[in-house]
């Protein structure tokens, strides 16, 4: 249910920002304004803003695909909805820390989208089910753990290219946070994770 509520809120806010550029600027993640004006709310609000319908659709479809599953996993493990929200919004915030440090003096840097949070949810699902299949390029099914390594390497490579206007660093740090998050809730889960590799 929480996944659907977050998707609905994100679609609504993104749609409003499509129509109102001043709202877009007010909610976007701009490290310069965050630090200079203490507008820390942007660490959260930018996750509800997207560049266009394609950006919104890709993020929300990915979130729906893995978020509903993770809600069930959290319920089974006794973590509850608060932990699930901590995963989602924690991924959003952690994914932004690098840019706070690097871009705090750059008034022209803007980042938007739920990619950091979605990456966190995706990689938590990989932690719990590393051999579960994920569609590579939306076509080729490969084990999640292999997809994860490829994804992280790709994010690092593309972050160094800096030419496609996609915040690959946010994807990377959100993913790392998501993979570590279950261990923050219960360090003993490392044994369950490693058991997947006992042959």
């Amino acid at each position: 249910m929480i996944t659907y509520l977050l998707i609905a809120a994100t679609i609504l806010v993104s749609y409003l920002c499509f129509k109102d550029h001043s709202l877009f600027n007010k909610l976007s993640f701009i490290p310069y304004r965050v630090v200079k004006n203490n507008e820390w709310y942007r660490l959260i609000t930018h996750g509800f803003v997207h560049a266009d319908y394609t950006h919104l659709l890709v993020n929300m479809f990915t979130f729906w695909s893995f978020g509903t599953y993770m809600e069930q996993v959290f319920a089974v493990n006794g973590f509850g909805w608060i932990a699930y929200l901590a995963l989602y919004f924690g991924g959003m915030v952690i994914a932004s820390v690098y840019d706070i440090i690097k871009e705090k003096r750059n008034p022209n840097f803007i980042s938007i989208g739920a990619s950091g949070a979605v990456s966190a949810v995706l990689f938590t699902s990989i932690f719990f089910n590393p051999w579960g299949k994920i569609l590579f390029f939306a076509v080729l099914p490969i084990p999640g753990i292999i997809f994860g390594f490829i994804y992280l390497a790709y994010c690092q490579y593309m972050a160094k290219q800096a030419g496609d206007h996609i915040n690959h660093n946010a994807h990377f740090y959100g993913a790392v946070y998501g993979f570590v998050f279950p261990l923050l809730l219960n360090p003993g889960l490392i044994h369950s994770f490693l058991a997947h590799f006992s042959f």
Side-chain angles (χ1 to χ4, degrees), residues 5 26 29 39 47 57-58 63 87 90-91 108 121 134 156-157 181:
L5 291 174
K26 185 176 182 61
F29 176 57
E39 296 176 356
L57 177 62
V58 170
F63 180 41
L87 167 63
N108 297 315
V121 173
I134 293 178
Q156 283 296 282
Y157 173 78
F181 185 75

Side-chain angles (χ1 to χ4, degrees), residues 82-101:
I82 294 178
Y84 183 68
L85 290 177
L87 167 63
Y88 188 81
F89 288 110
M92 198 177 287
V93 172
I94 293 299
S96 305
V97 171
Y98 176 86
D99 292 320
I100 283 281
I101 297 170

Side-chain angles (χ1 to χ4, degrees), residues 29-40 42 99-101 103-105:
F29 176 57
I30 306 174
Y32 177 80
R33 294 187 185 179
V34 170
V35 174
K36 184 178 180 181
N37 302 331
N38 286 318
E39 296 176 356
W40 296 97
R42 293 178 181 270
D99 292 320
I100 283 281
I101 297 170
E103 306 291 349
K104 62 184 177 183
R105 293 184 177 87

